[in-house]
Amino acid sequence: MGSIETAKEVAAELPPFFRVFKDGSVERFIGAPTVPPTPEDPETGVSSKDITISKEPPISARLYLPKLTQPPEQKKLPILVYFHGGGFCIESAYSSTETKYMNSLVSQAKVVAISIEYRLAPESPLPIAFEDCWTALQWVASHHSSTENELEEKEEWIINHGDFNRFFIGGDSAGANIAHNIAMRIGSEGMKNDVKLLGFYLTHPYFWGSKAIGSEPDIDREQILPHRVWSFLYPSVAGGIDSPMMNPAADGAPSLAGLPGCRLLISVSEKDELRDRGVLYYKSVKESGWKGEVELIEVEGEGHAFHILQFGTENANNLILRLASFLLKST
């Protein structure tokens, strides 16, 4: 008689995202399938490839290059380091939804894009995702060098086509949270080879706080998804849900006047529960005395990350075009 397989015991879960079993394995409930890169996307002409940034820790990325209409020596392209969304615990730089979105953005913005595959929680607890993205950013910045020895293991697409005078970062949802925190760290620590950040964009940024603002509910806040996700994934962070990493407008948070760059675009959606946090961030940057140009876009009738999750709709196309225009306005 064969042995009867017993069901694995559940240790913890964070619906609707994942379940953790006592043996350490994780079952994810949602997330788009991964797809391979393409030498030339049939719809946009964008080329993509996957590369290893670091073996230890394991960090990789999907690189994107738009169809070139001029010899590279005649025109270099802005650089975008991009951080995908997914609540720090789902999705991938290699997912079908992210790849469609990046192909569209890169083809319209004419940028060299590096979409970072950072390690996900809960297997890799926060703040590992932030550290991976910082390591990846510095790796990209290290390409701005002229010595042969330093260039031996660098990526040719970045060296041959990237313009380090037009350097951007950006992200959606949790990726926008990462982009903000990376920007703050750039402001205090700088980048390798004295690379300067020209601008950054935050789309539907994942920020939250203990006190309700705007239309947010002010009862049972600990049960609301944005609160549950952060508290589950980063229980040890100082300040909890009011850590400056999650609530840049919290009392005692570092001044947003320390943000680097001179251009910032924040986009929110009317039906997104994170909408008011994005608006508060916009107002906080303006009131901080930051010297750059900050712009807010609000899309009516849409929800969170609609431009990725409902890719191809009119509103999605329009928002991606706005993001591309922001990056194009870099000359």
Side-chain angles (χ1 to χ4, degrees):
M1 180 182 294
S3 61
I4 299 175
E5 183 178 347
T6 57
K8 293 197 294 184
E9 290 188 74
V10 176
E13 58 184 3
L14 181 63
F17 295 123
F18 61 79
R19 176 181 294 141
V20 182
F21 296 97
K22 288 187 176 179
D23 65 2
S25 60
V26 175
E27 177 188 9
R28 286 181 169 79
F29 305 129
I30 56 177
T34 59
V35 295
T38 55
E40 185 172 323
D41 177 58
E43 293 185 9
T44 63
V46 170
S47 301
S48 58
K49 63 179 176 179
D50 296 340
I51 56 96
T52 297
I53 291 174
S54 168
K55 291 182 180 178
E56 188 57 46
I59 308 168
S60 57
R62 178 158 290 177
L63 270 63
Y64 295 86
L65 187 67
K67 194 164 188 174
L68 301 173
T69 57
Q70 291 179 296
E73 64 272 10
Q74 291 184 16
K75 183 180 181 182
K76 294 220 170 185
L77 308 173
I79 297 169
L80 169 66
V81 178
Y82 172 76
F83 312 111
H84 73 79
F88 308 106
C89 61
I90 62 170
E91 294 300 353
S92 165
Y94 307 141
S95 75
S96 58
T97 50
E98 291 291 339
T99 299
K100 286 180 182 178
Y101 164 57
M102 291 303 292
N103 278 335
S104 177
L105 179 63
V106 167
S107 68
Q108 296 180 77
K110 299 295 186 286
V111 296
V112 179
I114 305 97
S115 180
I116 308 304
E117 179 73 346
Y118 53 86
R119 288 173 288 172
L120 299 178
E123 298 95 328
S124 300
L126 293 178
I128 286 176
F130 295 95
E131 293 302 322
D132 284 357
C133 290
W134 179 253
T135 298
L137 177 88
Q138 296 287 27
W139 175 84
V140 176
S142 73
H143 288 72
H144 188 43
S145 172
S146 59
T147 64
E148 286 188 19
N149 290 336
E150 288 184 327
L151 295 178
E152 283 180 359
E153 297 183 2
K154 304 286 177 71
E155 172 48 53
E156 289 185 359
W157 283 10
I158 300 174
I159 294 170
N160 294 339
H161 304 292
D163 181 355
F164 283 88
N165 292 316
R166 295 180 290 167
F167 196 102
F168 293 86
I169 63 173
D172 297 88
S173 190
N177 177 294
I178 292 173
H180 158 73
N181 281 288
I182 291 292
M184 291 294 288
R185 190 166 174 180
I186 293 171
S188 61
E189 298 182 28
M191 284 189 278
K192 285 186 177 181
N193 297 325
D194 201 31
V195 172
K196 305 297 184 186
L197 187 72
L198 178 59
F200 61 107
Y201 75 83
L202 310 181
T203 305
H204 310 160
Y206 175 21
F207 297 132
W208 202 248
S210 60
K211 296 178 181 178
I213 63 170
S215 61
E216 294 176 359
D218 60 0
I219 58 173
D220 297 326
R221 287 186 64 76
E222 292 185 359
Q223 302 306 313
I224 299 173
L225 187 61
H227 194 121
R228 287 195 293 114
V229 170
W230 183 252
S231 299
F232 187 104
L233 299 180
Y234 203 178
S236 64
V237 67
I241 198 68
D242 286 317
S243 161
M245 296 178 74
M246 178 52 62
N247 185 1
D251 292 340
S255 172
L256 297 177
L259 287 167
C262 61
R263 299 183 53 239
L264 167 60
L265 175 66
I266 303 154
S267 54
V268 299
S269 292
E270 179 189 14
K271 294 183 178 180
D272 183 4
E273 64 183 339
L274 302 178
R275 180 251 178 211
D276 293 330
R277 291 287 159 177
V279 174
L280 175 61
Y281 183 82
Y282 165 75
K283 292 178 178 177
S284 298
V285 171
K286 290 194 73 173
E287 294 167 2
S288 73
W290 187 60
K291 301 301 183 182
E293 172 189 334
V294 57
E295 179 183 1
L296 176 69
I297 296 172
E298 178 165 13
V299 181
E300 296 179 356
E302 296 289 359
H304 187 69
F306 73 90
H307 60 302
I308 296 175
L309 300 177
Q310 281 86 48
F311 179 83
T313 63
E314 182 179 359
N315 280 345
N317 291 342
N318 288 340
L319 179 55
I320 295 172
L321 179 59
R322 292 291 298 274
L323 297 174
S325 298
F326 172 77
L327 297 169
L328 277 168
K329 188 186 168 187
S330 59
T331 54

